[in-house]
Amino acid sequence: MADASLLQELRGVRSTTPSVWFMRQAGRSLPEYRALREGTTMLDSCVRPEMAAEITVQPVRRHGVDAGIFFSDIVVPARQAGLGVEIQSGVGPVFEHPVRTVADIDALPVLGDEYEAALEPIREAVRLTVAELGTTPLIGFAGAPFTVASYMVEGGPSRDHLRTRALMRTEPEAWARLAAWVAELSGRFLRAQVLAGASAVQLFDSWVGALSAEQYLTHVQPHSAAALAQVADLPVPRIHFGVGAAHLLPQMHAAGATAMGVDHRLRLDQALEVLPAGTPVQGNIDPAVLFTSEEARFAEASAVVEAGAAASGHVVNLGHGVPPTTDPQVLTDLVSYLHEMDDVAGAEQGVPSA
Ligand code: CP3
């Protein structure tokens, strides 16, 4: 397993054939997912070990991607800790009681033995998944403190995260307590997945791009670092990913990541210029090409492989998640195209792209 080329790329050891997985590869783009999920809510499906394991394996079986991403959600830990949260279709996570005041933050549950026990369905799902995946590695994940706390403060999805960013400025100490709580929540969720068999982790900070570098460093980075520190003693690569976060890449890396996910707004060779030398990267095919001609799609895939060729390691991915309306065959064909590309990465290795 440790030999899997995707894990090697994440450790900075190149292979001649590109390794690839897709964020949100499990889920609504797959008819077999929709069939299995019928009659079960999203969050209930996450705590049914057999179902979560099967959903995780579906895209690996279908597309031949080089890793599974554990089927769960960034709000599953909050739910297991006892908060009222659901996922509304077409909307996203919605919290029953938004967390906005010092009193709300004081009332958050203690993350003790009960929380650890509530993670058992997660551990069981990971064990079942790993057994089913065989030599294909499983990537565990969690939501980063800013993104998860933003859902908690706003009560649901938000464009500007204004309440969250205002809380940081007006009540910095209360914000710090909330973010520290989420770091513990998400960090222990990550640790549970790795101890149960996940071979790498990814910390998603989807909405961090809303912050300036200054705000990030003061109010967020220490908490993302605390979440990642929960798995730092375990021998797994730690990928960190944000959307619209080109201005935060070095700071996010310094939170304790060992590899950086990059969205489609920044070319990988440009990302490499701002990251410490030797940082493996992941990304960043524009999801929009899933809705173009095959020619345009393969050209984008080749350009991404070429832009990542100068990195110590590169795992191909999309620049953000698979849209639910994606034709699954398009993903399968993209994986085949990448896997047949061998030598492109090898030939370009070490040669800065033009
Ligand atoms: O395949 C995978 O990537 C693994 C599973 C996964 C899900 N959510 C399953 C899911 C992962 C890694 C996530 C992470 C997640 N969840 C993030 C970070 C990644 C990102 O995309 O930025 C965020 C911001 C969330 C919050 C969330 N959960 C949103 C915005 C939504 C979509 C709501 C909608 O209906 O448009 C969800 C629901 C969700 N999470 C689904 C899946 C498969 C869809 C549920 C359904 O089938 O209705």
Side-chain angles (χ1 to χ4, degrees):
M1 169 77 71
D3 295 339
S5 58
L6 178 134
L7 297 175
Q8 297 282 42
E9 295 279 352
L10 289 174
R11 296 200 166 91
V13 180
R14 297 299 304 230
S15 292
T16 49
T17 305
S19 290
V20 57
W21 68 280
F22 302 119
M23 293 185 275
R24 292 279 178 95
Q25 64 192 15
R28 283 174 298 177
S29 62
L30 300 184
E32 58 270 35
Y33 166 80
R34 296 195 296 266
L36 190 60
R37 264 284 317 283
E38 206 161 317
T40 309
T41 68
M42 165 66 198
L43 292 181
D44 283 346
S45 69
C46 296
V47 291
R48 294 192 184 178
E50 285 84 9
M51 195 180 278
E54 171 58 19
I55 293 172
T56 303
V57 177
Q58 283 175 346
V60 180
R61 216 182 267 139
R62 183 193 268 260
H63 302 310
V65 282
D66 299 296
I69 172 85
F70 182 54
F71 179 76
S72 196
D73 195 81
I74 60 169
V75 297
V76 165
R79 191 207 200 210
Q80 296 314 92
L83 300 195
V85 56
E86 60 172 354
I87 289 183
Q88 291 180 5
S89 185
V91 178
V94 175
F95 280 83
E96 198 180 338
H97 302 294
V99 178
R100 292 187 182 155
T101 64
V102 172
D104 294 335
I105 293 166
D106 288 339
L108 288 170
V110 174
L111 299 172
D113 293 346
E114 250 176 81
Y115 176 54
E116 213 45 55
L119 292 177
E120 185 49 28
I122 304 304
R123 286 187 285 266
E124 179 60 10
V126 169
R127 287 190 286 263
L128 293 172
T129 307
V130 168
E132 187 72 26
L133 285 176
T135 55
T136 303
L138 176 68
I139 300 172
F141 79 93
F146 177 72
T147 293
V148 175
S150 157
Y151 278 110
M152 293 171 66
V153 173
E154 309 289 337
S158 147
R159 198 155 49 97
D160 299 327
H161 318 283
L162 280 177
R163 281 195 167 95
T164 316
R165 294 191 295 116
L167 179 68
M168 263 177 206
R169 290 173 185 268
T170 56
E171 304 268 12
E173 281 165 23
W175 160 260
R177 272 195 294 131
L178 170 59
W181 185 85
V182 178
E184 175 84 19
L185 181 83
S186 282
R188 283 170 60 179
F189 179 62
L190 277 185
R191 189 170 180 85
Q193 293 168 68
V194 176
L195 291 179
S199 300
V201 295
Q202 175 155 323
L203 190 67
F204 282 94
D205 210 347
S206 302
W207 311 140
V208 75
L211 298 171
S212 69
E214 231 170 14
Q215 292 286 302
Y216 177 79
L217 283 174
T218 309
H219 296 297
V220 173
Q221 193 200 48
H223 305 292
S224 296
L228 285 168
Q230 289 271 351
V231 291
D233 61 323
L234 302 172
V236 294
R238 302 182 294 276
I239 312 162
H240 198 7
F241 169 75
V243 179
H247 61 297
L248 300 175
L249 283 182
Q251 294 87 342
M252 289 176 71
H253 177 265
T258 63
M260 282 307 294
V262 180
D263 84 354
H264 50 280
R265 293 164 185 83
L266 181 70
R267 262 193 3 234
L268 290 178
D269 54 308
Q270 294 173 322
L272 290 169
E273 283 171 18
V274 299
L275 286 166
T279 308
V281 290
Q282 176 178 278
N284 63 354
I285 295 173
D286 185 348
V289 301
L290 302 174
F291 304 91
T292 63
S293 69
E294 187 168 84
E295 194 188 358
R297 200 148 50 236
F298 291 173
E300 164 80 352
S302 297
V304 164
V305 168
E306 194 175 321
S312 66
H314 176 206
V315 171
V316 179
N317 205 313
L318 298 175
H320 198 180
V322 172
T325 51
T326 305
D327 173 357
Q329 191 59 45
V330 159
L331 295 174
T332 307
D333 293 346
L334 190 54
V335 173
S336 302
Y337 176 75
L338 285 158
H339 283 166
E340 282 158 15
M341 253 172 120
D342 55 358
D343 286 343
V344 177
E348 299 283 336
Q349 193 177 334
V351 180
S353 49

